Amino acid sequence: MFLDQFVKRANEVIFEYSEPIQYLKGRGIVEEDIRAFSLGYVRIATVRKEDSEDYRVLSEDSYQFRLFQKKIIFPLRNILGAVNGLCTRDIEQKRYNQFFLSEARKIGAFFGLYEALPHINRTKKVFVHEGAINSISFAKVFPNTISSLTSFLNEAQYEMLTLICDKIILVYDDDDAGHTGEYKVKKYYGEKHLETVFLGTDDSNTYLKMQGLNNFETYIKSKIPRYLQG
């Protein structure tokens, strides 16, 4: 698939640019994380042409892939590891864009799902964050962690998660948006498979930056009920 090749190249060249590396380092995201989650960055986006509807639509939606340029790229993968979408983050402005192939719209798209899958299968639990950087931070302690990209789970996302685990643990911000998201998800799907954890007044990445990894791990484990940890 054309996006797999693009993501591979973007991950290879990200280390050639100081801007994304400095930004990610400032957020506590280290080289190991960048490689593990295939984060990328390109100055000029070159995507090999493919004769498919997905290629045509994505090219149009991204203005011939120009919206991928000078952005940090977070790839979205299905359970087999194939890239079926992208989330991009502008370094200077807190602005995210999301792009989905047709498969992602049908089966639900997540950041970090492929990487977390072995740990989800082992624990039968998944921690769901809204943002990709928060999920990378939290995964340093609990690797069965993903990002849903919003403070809600659409039907495709919910169905996908209930197929692969018994408990979906929402880790949303302890603010109006986080509580509203929790309320909507539980109202829509019921509480059979859902749990909620609030870490405090800040998000996972903020705590990681403030506390350092060792203290962050201790803090996070103190906030997660023991029956949800294993």
Side-chain angles (χ1 to χ4, degrees):
M1 294 290 290
F2 60 92
L3 276 186
D4 293 88
Q5 296 171 339
F6 173 70
V7 165
K8 184 176 185 295
R9 176 60 179 162
N11 179 242
E12 290 172 348
V13 303
I14 188 174
F15 298 101
E16 299 177 9
Y17 302 109
S18 61
E19 302 99 313
I21 298 301
Q22 288 176 356
Y23 171 80
L24 291 168
K25 185 177 180 180
R27 301 291 299 269
I29 308 303
V30 299
E31 180 176 341
E32 181 182 0
D33 302 318
I34 295 170
R35 295 190 186 280
F37 291 95
S38 299
L39 307 188
Y41 182 91
V42 293
R43 289 274 177 83
I44 304 297
T46 303
V47 180
R48 193 179 76 176
K49 191 171 183 179
E50 181 179 283
D51 185 19
S52 69
E53 183 67 8
D54 269 336
Y55 183 94
R56 184 190 66 77
V57 171
L58 189 62
S59 177
E60 291 179 357
D61 288 348
S62 63
Y63 301 99
Q64 284 71 53
F65 309 109
R66 288 195 294 273
L67 292 183
F68 299 166
Q69 297 177 168
K70 299 180 182 179
K71 308 288 192 301
I72 297 177
I73 296 164
F74 300 86
L76 316 178
R77 301 182 187 274
N78 64 23
I79 59 174
L80 299 178
V83 179
N84 59 15
L86 299 174
C87 178
T88 64
R89 206 279 189 191
D90 189 286
I91 294 176
E92 295 183 359
Q93 304 178 44
K94 189 177 181 180
R95 182 187 303 159
Y96 289 89
N97 284 305
Q98 299 169 10
F99 305 90
F100 305 110
L101 301 188
S102 56
E103 178 197 88
R105 294 187 178 94
K106 293 176 182 177
I107 68 172
F110 298 95
F111 172 76
L113 177 61
Y114 178 69
E115 294 79 7
L117 191 58
H119 309 285
I120 296 172
N121 289 336
R122 174 177 55 82
T123 63
K124 297 303 179 184
K125 303 178 185 70
V126 62
F127 292 95
V128 181
H129 284 68
E130 177 180 353
I133 288 180
N134 282 329
S135 71
I136 294 174
S137 303
F138 199 85
K140 293 174 183 288
V141 181
F142 293 104
N144 52 326
T145 297
I146 64 175
S147 165
S148 61
L149 308 175
T150 69
S151 59
F152 188 71
L153 295 173
N154 62 40
E155 289 187 22
Q157 288 176 314
Y158 181 77
E159 289 176 2
M160 167 64 74
L161 294 182
T162 55
L163 284 174
I164 61 176
C165 65
D166 299 326
K167 281 294 180 183
I168 302 168
I169 306 154
L170 307 175
V171 190
Y172 290 164
D173 292 351
D174 191 7
D175 56 17
D176 288 343
H179 287 282
T180 299
E182 176 204 19
Y183 171 78
K184 288 181 177 179
V185 172
K186 289 185 174 180
K187 180 180 180 181
Y188 198 82
Y189 300 112
E191 299 189 28
K192 179 179 179 180
H193 297 287
L194 294 166
E195 299 269 356
T196 306
V197 170
F198 291 106
L199 302 181
T201 56
D202 290 304
D203 56 40
S204 298
N205 184 251
T206 300
Y207 285 118
L208 174 63
K209 290 188 297 181
M210 290 191 307
Q211 299 174 341
L213 182 56
N214 290 337
N215 290 335
F216 174 71
E217 180 173 0
T218 300
Y219 178 77
I220 292 301
K221 287 184 175 179
S222 74
K223 291 292 184 176
I224 308 299
R226 190 169 296 276
Y227 75 95
L228 295 177
Q229 293 190 23

